[in-house]
Amino acid sequence: MPSTSPATSAAADKRLAALGRRIHAHRKALKVSATTAAEAAGMSRMTLHRIERGEPSVTMGAYMNALGALGLDVDVVTSTQPPALAPLPGGIRIADYPQLRRLAWQLAPATELSPEEAWGTYERNWRHVDTSSLDARERQLLEDLARILGRKPLNV
């Protein structure tokens, strides 16, 4: 049974409801089922539905997991831009890298990610990468991203 919702202001209730609607609309636009999105976020389908309704009793961590599973971030959702990640000129096209494509399954193959978004996708989901299947081009991408972003290289 869900916990009792904390007391929130009317403004906070509106913002949570708007956030929930944006998450729901993005999931529907991606044509991802609630069950699939919930599994990807590591939660029950019911928790995802509570998030999509903007319920304040759901933990912030659950909201963040739902956003991450759908390829969103708080900045993308709370901005006035559409909720989908926009392709960036000169970005990293996920279709060009097989393991990145597996990790970013919820995005269209032609989607281009910024170096930060690509690195974040690899880093958050590294446990799902089949390192033996990384081709030379994708290995080079990972090395370049680590160098450019000043990050510790992933265990390739």
Side-chain angles (χ1 to χ4, degrees):
M1 175 181 244
S3 62
T4 305
S5 298
T8 55
S9 67
D13 287 341
K14 281 184 175 181
R15 292 176 69 196
L16 277 172
L19 176 62
R21 284 191 303 272
R22 299 284 300 273
I23 292 169
H24 177 80
H26 188 72
R27 179 177 63 78
K28 288 296 199 177
L30 293 173
K31 297 183 177 152
V32 174
S33 73
T35 301
T36 301
E39 287 174 1
M43 65 183 64
S44 71
R45 186 177 48 80
M46 194 62 199
T47 299
L48 179 64
H49 285 303
R50 290 175 50 223
I51 287 169
E52 291 179 348
R53 287 192 304 261
E55 291 185 15
S57 63
V58 180
T59 67
M60 189 64 183
Y63 272 92
M64 296 305 290
N65 286 346
L67 290 167
L70 295 170
L72 295 171
D73 198 353
V74 174
D75 293 341
V76 175
V77 173
T78 58
S79 72
T80 57
Q81 298 173 359
L85 295 173
L88 301 171
I92 298 164
R93 195 170 147 233
I94 62 173
D96 295 341
Y97 301 96
Q99 292 299 309
L100 181 59
R101 179 69 193 123
R102 283 185 64 224
L103 300 177
W105 57 268
Q106 76 278 16
L107 301 175
T111 301
E112 293 183 1
L113 303 177
S114 70
E116 293 83 4
E117 291 169 328
W119 181 263
T121 300
Y122 279 115
E123 193 172 46
R124 281 189 309 275
N125 299 293
W126 189 249
R127 67 190 178 280
H128 301 295
V129 172
D130 180 4
T131 55
S132 64
S133 295
L134 285 169
D135 60 21
R137 187 166 180 243
E138 196 160 10
R139 286 178 191 274
Q140 186 62 53
L141 171 68
L142 288 165
E143 289 173 19
D144 291 346
L145 288 173
R147 183 178 37 77
I148 291 166
L149 299 172
R151 304 290 174 83
K152 180 181 174 188
L154 297 170
N155 296 329
V156 177

